[in-house]
Each structure stands twice: as structure tokens, then as C-alpha cells.
Amino acid sequence: MDWTLLAELQSDARLSYSELARRVHMSAPAVAERVRRLEETGVITGYHARVNPALAGRGVAALIRMACYGPRCVLRDEQALAWPEILEVHRVTGDTCCLIRVAAASMIAFEELIDRLAPYGHPSSMMVLSSPVPWRPLSPAKHD
């Protein structure tokens, strides 16, 4: 039942408890209790609007691999990680420290971002041409 609730909420987080209850065939108080429990246990971490960066003025999308380690690593600078162009940061394995997903207003703004990252290590960028799967809801794993 939790996966059914999660599917509905990922599809539309603005559903009322009564509408959610109708869709999953439960009472509204039971749905409210299950959702509260999912929030308290950290399964549901928040409710957000999905914004199209290009239509919001950030049409240059890229992934940046950072090769930086030690005291100058970008992961140690919370102010840098809070720059508005940075949408996601993933610490990864291999010869790269982290992978950063960014959205900039222009190529000039993107170039300035690369220049700001350079003191932390070696940035290597990949421009996003298109996103065939820009987002998908989490669903239960299929077991063979």
C-alpha cells in the first residue's frame, strides 16, 4: 500500500487526503496516518514543484566532473555547493571526486561557473543535449 501511495504522491503531491484515499481505496484518516509515517521515517523527504530550467531562464544544462581531493575539494566548501547554478552534487567513485549537475543562463554564465570551480580542482564538463528521461518516479524494484 505504501508504494501505491508513493506512486500517487509522486504523480501529484498536491492531492488532498480525501482524493488520495479515494484513489487507493482507503479512509482519509488511514491515508493521513500512512503518509505521516512515511514522512517521519524519511521515505518522503519533501514536496516540490518540478521546474523546467530552460523555461525559467537556465537553458544551458551540463554535467561537470570534478577531480579534486584534500582540503581544497569543492565538497568541503558549503558556500560553493550553494551556488544557484548547481542543482545536484553526487560524490562518486573512480578518478572523479564528484559529479555536479548545473543549469546556467547562458554559455557565458556557464564559462564563469567553470572558472569559479577551477580553484577547487580540475573541472571537466559535458553539455546536456537532451534528456530522454528527465525525471521518473521511484517505483518498487522488479524481482526476477
Side-chain angles (χ1 to χ4, degrees):
M1 181 52 61
D2 286 347
W3 277 112
T4 304
L5 287 170
L6 290 171
E8 291 292 341
L9 288 171
Q10 288 179 99
S11 175
D12 184 358
R14 297 177 71 183
L15 291 174
S16 67
Y17 285 136
S18 59
E19 176 60 19
L20 188 55
R22 186 188 68 72
R23 291 183 183 195
V24 300
H25 310 291
M26 292 176 64
S27 70
V31 163
E33 176 58 27
R34 277 188 177 255
V35 170
R36 183 191 60 75
R37 191 174 36 219
L38 290 166
E39 292 168 343
E40 287 177 354
T41 59
V43 174
I44 295 176
T45 59
Y47 300 88
H48 314 277
R50 286 193 304 269
V51 177
N52 181 323
L55 295 178
R58 300 274 183 86
V60 177
L63 300 170
I64 302 171
R65 294 181 318 172
M66 286 296 295
C68 57
Y69 300 95
R72 291 291 301 154
C73 178
V74 71
L75 294 177
R76 298 180 188 270
D77 188 337
E78 291 183 22
Q79 289 180 329
L81 296 177
W83 293 342
E85 301 90 349
I86 295 177
L87 304 179
E88 295 178 21
V89 179
H90 303 277
R91 187 173 181 190
V92 296
T93 61
D95 61 353
T96 299
C97 170
C98 60
L99 183 64
I100 304 171
R101 186 171 72 89
V102 302
S106 65
M107 285 304 291
I108 292 170
F110 177 72
E111 184 177 0
E112 291 170 354
L113 175 62
I114 292 292
D115 290 344
R116 282 186 281 148
L117 286 169
Y120 295 97
H122 179 72
S124 175
S125 62
M126 299 166 280
M127 303 308 296
V128 174
L129 300 176
S130 67
S131 299
V133 182
W135 179 87
R136 80 168 35 128
L138 187 65
S139 60
K142 296 196 185 335
H143 301 286
D144 295 340

